[in-house]
Amino acid sequence: MAEEQSTKKKKKTKVEEEEMSFLDHLEVLRWHLIRAFASVFIFSILAFINKDIIFDKIIMSPKLPGFWTNRMFGKLADLTGADSLRINTSELKLISISMSGQFMTHIWTSIIAGLIIAAPYVIWEFWRFIKPALYDTERQHSIGAVFYMTFLFLTGILFGYYLIVPLSVHFLGSYSISVEVANQINILSYISTVTSITLASGVIFELPVFVYFLSKVGILTPEMMKKYRRHAYVILLILSAIITPPDVFSQIMVCLPLVFLYEVGIVISRRVQKKAKEAMDAI
């Protein structure tokens, strides 16, 4: 009887330790999330204060004729003689249709800007949380993963901002179903388009990272990616056609980096599969 009680006490103590361990992990995660959100909050405040830079120098620039991308397309049109390559030759006028429209736009845009600026730190905090659960070799690789995730995200942001956004603004801002209908673009709609495209580009450029982890758990294989390569190319081409003006050159310019990322994903998946096979053979 005494042995049974002792066994029950030991089991109870073990369960309590496991629960405390789980709660400790939640506490650690909470502080990582707090620091991540704090960084976003701080950068959002800085973006809110520096609204002239955020709006006039960054967000409003892609619709101006003097924007770098628009000028480059103009030079390309001069060289090739294809006037269809000229984009945003006239400035797009924006309007605000609600009393609090500009103020709310200011707040939400500052939050998104804070999220983009704080992204490297947020990724680093995520790595710090999972770091204790990794082996030494995995920690070394994960440090590289943090760098690549940050690099790919920021590269995607720049790609979306300097290429996809000007093309989309030109196409959507100048598209007309009838001469009787004038485009009066709401500022909230314009900024929503710019920010959503930019963030989406940053996420899409994380494709190699997603492929790595999906291959790691066995969901993706290089054979599967090769098998459905044509389907993926068609989807990428359709996506490029949607977000660019109706000319082949612009569609190819947007589609090529996406195809390149897909091919890089195949190489990454093959390397993951090779290492997994070597590890199995070593056992």
Side-chain angles (χ1 to χ4, degrees):
M1 189 70 178
E3 291 180 358
E4 290 181 359
Q5 289 179 350
S6 177
T7 303
K8 288 182 179 179
K9 286 181 180 179
K10 288 180 180 179
K11 289 182 177 179
K12 186 177 180 181
T13 303
K14 187 176 180 181
V15 171
E16 287 177 352
E17 288 177 356
E18 289 178 352
E19 289 179 352
M20 275 301 294
S21 178
F22 177 71
L23 292 176
D24 287 342
H25 278 86
L26 286 181
E27 180 67 14
V28 172
L29 175 61
R30 185 171 74 92
W31 281 106
H32 283 297
L33 291 175
I34 288 174
R35 286 191 290 268
F37 281 116
S39 66
V40 175
F41 180 72
I42 291 171
F43 283 115
S44 296
I45 292 177
L46 292 175
F48 187 88
I49 295 173
N50 295 278
K51 68 174 184 177
D52 293 339
I53 297 175
I54 297 297
F55 286 94
D56 295 339
K57 302 295 184 182
I58 300 177
I59 294 179
M60 299 300 175
S61 291
K63 69 182 183 64
L64 302 176
F67 186 61
W68 183 83
T69 307
N70 300 332
R71 289 189 286 107
M72 292 303 103
F73 270 88
K75 291 181 179 180
L76 190 60
D78 293 335
L79 291 174
T80 60
D83 288 336
S84 61
L85 292 177
R86 301 183 189 277
I87 60 174
N88 300 312
T89 53
S90 58
E91 183 178 345
L92 184 69
K93 299 296 182 182
L94 304 177
I95 62 172
S96 180
I97 60 176
S98 63
M99 184 68 72
S100 61
Q102 295 197 47
F103 178 69
M104 295 305 299
T105 299
H106 189 187
I107 292 177
W108 284 111
T109 304
S110 299
I111 293 174
I112 295 172
L115 177 62
I116 293 174
I117 299 172
Y121 181 78
V122 172
I123 295 173
W124 184 65
E125 281 291 344
F126 174 74
W127 174 77
R128 288 183 61 197
F129 173 69
I130 65 173
K131 177 183 175 181
L134 302 176
Y135 294 107
D136 292 337
T137 55
E138 291 177 333
R139 288 180 185 180
Q140 294 175 359
H141 291 300
S142 64
I143 295 175
V146 171
F147 169 77
Y148 287 119
M149 286 179 68
T150 303
F151 174 76
L152 289 171
F153 180 76
L154 295 179
T155 302
I157 291 292
L158 293 175
F159 174 77
Y161 176 74
Y162 278 102
L163 184 60
I164 301 181
V165 167
L167 292 171
S168 300
V169 169
H170 171 75
F171 175 67
L172 297 175
S174 61
Y175 188 84
S176 176
I177 57 175
S178 173
V179 293
E180 300 295 328
V181 182
N183 282 333
Q184 293 183 325
I185 311 299
N186 184 13
I187 184 174
L188 185 60
S189 176
Y190 170 81
I191 293 179
S192 175
T193 300
V194 173
T195 55
S196 61
I197 289 175
T198 304
L199 284 175
S201 299
V203 174
I204 289 174
F205 267 61
E206 296 287 356
L207 177 62
V209 178
F210 295 145
V211 170
Y212 173 81
F213 286 108
L214 291 176
S215 300
K216 199 78 172 175
V217 297
I219 297 177
L220 270 183
T221 62
E223 292 76 16
M224 183 188 301
M225 295 186 70
K226 288 180 181 179
K227 180 180 178 181
Y228 294 102
R229 176 185 275 149
R230 293 181 180 179
H231 302 80
Y233 284 2
V234 171
I235 293 173
L236 294 177
L237 188 59
I238 292 174
L239 178 63
S240 303
I242 292 174
I243 60 180
T244 58
D247 64 83
V248 177
F249 180 79
S250 301
Q251 294 170 11
I252 292 175
M253 284 194 65
V254 174
C255 189
L256 281 179
L258 302 181
V259 170
F260 174 74
L261 288 174
Y262 188 85
E263 294 298 325
V264 170
I266 294 177
V267 175
I268 292 173
S269 183
R270 187 185 299 119
R271 290 187 63 182
V272 170
Q273 190 181 64
K274 181 181 179 181
K275 288 184 177 181
K277 186 177 179 181
E278 291 175 352
M280 289 294 293
D281 294 339
I283 297 176

